């Protein structure tokens, strides 16, 4: 969607293989996700697998990723976009994918509804956190440091957190999201929660 020429210091796939092949590759990978979940999930009750498939489908469909991207695209160049509008975009885009990643594990392991929803909230916080940090880096780092094109959101006239509330307030918001997300994990066994704690900190302190 962002059509960038570089990612992680390398030419993006559509620059290497062409847009038609990349769209087909995306379609194939999307289908493979459902295939893998349906066929390769062993030792789990069928009801949990069906619920997980439904969760994944919802996260990437019209109520999740697609909704966020549509609003994101249609918001370029708008001048009357507020924080609620921006949060909608990232809750339904970045956060929706992280929700699926985190919640699917809880569903397949038979977690209770309360734990699933707690983890969903955690994932939503770190999903927004990812975008806030990404927005900050886009205007404070060089293309070399980011290993992708810097300032691209500004050039595309996209609404971002620094654009709406400034860099310092964006940094404060990012720290609050990190803190609030970690607080949600305190009820879980510390060893089991360790990977999620590491994920939240990795997102908060990423440099590219």
């Amino acid at each position: 969607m962002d059509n960038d020429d570089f990612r992680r210091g390398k030419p993006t796939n559509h620059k290497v293989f062409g847009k038609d092949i990349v769209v087909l590759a995306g379609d194939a990978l999307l289908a493979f996700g459902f295939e893998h979940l349906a066929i390769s999930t062993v030792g789990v009750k069928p009801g949990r697998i069906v619920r997980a498939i439904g969760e994944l489908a919802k996260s990437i469909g019209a109520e999740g990723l697609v909704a966020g991207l549509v609003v994101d695209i249609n918001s370029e160049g708008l001048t009357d976009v507020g924080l609620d509008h921006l949060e909608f975009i990232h809750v339904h885009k970045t956060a929706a994918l992280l929700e699926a990643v985190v919640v699917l594990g809880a569903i397949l392991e038979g977690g209770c509804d309360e734990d699933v929803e707690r983890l969903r909230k955690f994932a939503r916080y770190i999903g927004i956190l990812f975008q806030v940090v990404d927005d900050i880096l886009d205007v404070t780092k060089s293309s070399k440091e980011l290993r992708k094109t810097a300032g691209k959101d500004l050039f595309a006239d996209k609404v971002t957190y620094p654009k709406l509330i400034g860099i310092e307030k964006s940094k404060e918001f990012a720290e609050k999201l990190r803190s609030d997300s970690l607080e949600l994990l305190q009820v879980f066994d510390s060893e089991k929660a360790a990977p999620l704690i590491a994920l939240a900190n990795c997102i908060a302190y990423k440099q590219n």
Side-chain angles (χ1 to χ4, degrees):
M1 287 292 109
D2 68 9
N3 202 33
D4 206 344
D5 292 346
F6 293 93
R7 273 290 184 271
R8 299 173 184 85
K10 297 181 180 180
T12 43
N13 284 330
H14 71 277
K15 287 296 179 180
V16 178
F17 303 106
K19 292 183 179 179
D20 48 356
I21 296 299
V22 169
V23 169
L24 290 171
D27 291 341
L29 288 168
L30 185 62
F32 181 69
F34 289 99
E35 177 188 337
H36 182 76
L37 187 57
I39 295 174
S40 301
T41 307
V42 296
V44 177
K45 293 179 180 179
R48 293 180 189 174
I49 297 176
V50 171
R51 183 182 175 189
I53 290 173
E55 183 74 36
L56 179 58
K58 185 176 180 180
S59 73
I60 61 177
E63 295 183 40
L65 174 64
V66 171
L69 283 169
V70 167
V71 176
D72 190 20
I73 291 168
N74 288 335
S75 299
E76 290 184 13
L78 296 182
T79 58
D80 59 345
V81 176
L83 282 173
D84 288 344
H85 186 106
L86 184 58
E87 184 173 305
F88 178 93
I89 292 172
H90 298 309
V91 163
H92 290 80
K93 191 172 71 168
T94 315
L97 294 181
L98 281 164
E99 279 184 41
V101 170
V102 173
V103 168
L104 257 60
I107 291 172
L108 293 172
E109 282 294 316
C112 67
D113 289 345
E114 183 181 353
D115 285 347
V116 168
E117 291 311 308
R118 178 177 286 271
L119 289 169
R120 186 188 304 282
K121 193 173 183 180
F122 161 81
R124 185 165 294 186
Y125 282 169
I126 64 169
I128 299 172
L129 171 63
F130 182 97
Q131 195 59 56
V132 175
V133 173
D134 205 55
D135 286 354
I136 293 169
L137 293 176
D138 190 61
V139 293
T140 59
K141 298 285 186 178
S142 66
S143 296
K144 184 177 180 180
E145 290 172 310
L146 293 177
R147 301 171 71 193
K148 64 178 183 179
T149 306
K152 198 166 185 296
D153 290 340
L154 185 64
F155 180 77
D157 201 19
K158 281 193 172 187
V159 60
T160 65
Y161 285 97
K163 185 176 181 179
L164 289 182
I165 61 176
I167 292 177
E168 290 307 313
K169 288 291 185 183
S170 295
K171 289 180 178 179
E172 291 174 11
F173 184 39
E175 179 52 34
K176 185 178 187 306
L177 287 166
R178 186 191 75 87
S179 176
D180 289 350
S181 71
L182 295 180
E183 186 176 339
L184 287 166
L185 299 178
Q186 290 181 0
V187 301
F188 298 111
D189 177 86
S190 59
E191 187 174 343
K192 291 181 178 179
L196 295 180
I197 294 171
L199 176 61
N201 286 325
C202 179
I203 290 172
Y205 301 126
K206 73 189 187 86
Q207 295 298 310
N208 54 39

